[in-house]
């Protein structure tokens, strides 16, 4: 993981939602490239999941969930994130919940393969 990604992971802990939201968007874009290049994405994925579980702002939740959703199209949904996402799903804003439901559905397809 590059320094810029590490900086944006740190930004997920900012008290300012105007910092957290673009940090999540950047990390989503980073995930696309990393998945295509077959890099280890676990650090970024774990940071995004942790941020989603503690995020209270609806628009930031949705951006984080959208970023994690890139795993469905460009990568593989790690099995270890399924349970925390499934448990937290009812607590999410509807926009974020829609993205997370797609991630969970993709994880169930992967499991069947």
């Amino acid at each position: 993981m590059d320094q810029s990604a590490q900086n944006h992971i740190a930004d997920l802990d900012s008290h300012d939602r105007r910092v957290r939201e673009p940090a999540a968007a950047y990390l989503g874009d980073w995930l696309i490239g990393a998945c295509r290049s077959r890099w280890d994405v676990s650090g970024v994925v774990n940071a995004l999941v942790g941020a989603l579980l503690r995020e209270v702002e609806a628009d930031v939740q949705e951006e984080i969930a959208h970023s994690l959703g890139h795993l469905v199209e460009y990568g593989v949904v790690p099995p270890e994130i399924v349970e925390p996402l499934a448990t937290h799903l009812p607590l999410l804003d509807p926009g974020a919940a829609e993205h997370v439901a797609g991630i969970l559905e993709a994880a169930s397809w992967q499991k069947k393969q």
Side-chain angles (χ1 to χ4, degrees), residues 34-88:
C35 288
R36 286 179 174 167
S37 299
R38 307 236 186 254
W39 296 345
D40 177 19
V41 297
S42 59
V44 169
V45 170
N46 291 334
L48 286 167
V49 170
L52 181 61
L53 299 181
R54 66 181 176 270
E55 184 57 58
V56 295
E57 297 285 339
D59 54 342
V60 182
Q61 278 185 1
E62 187 168 0
E63 188 61 52
I64 295 168
H66 177 261
S67 292
L68 285 167
H70 293 310
L71 291 170
V72 174
E73 188 172 351
Y74 298 102
V76 174
V77 177
E80 61 271 11
I81 72 169
V82 172
E83 190 273 326
L85 291 180
T87 300
H88 204 69

Side-chain angles (χ1 to χ4, degrees), residues 88-105:
H88 204 69
L89 182 63
L91 305 174
L92 295 173
D93 180 73
E98 184 177 335
H99 289 291
V100 170
I103 294 166
L104 296 173
E105 185 176 350

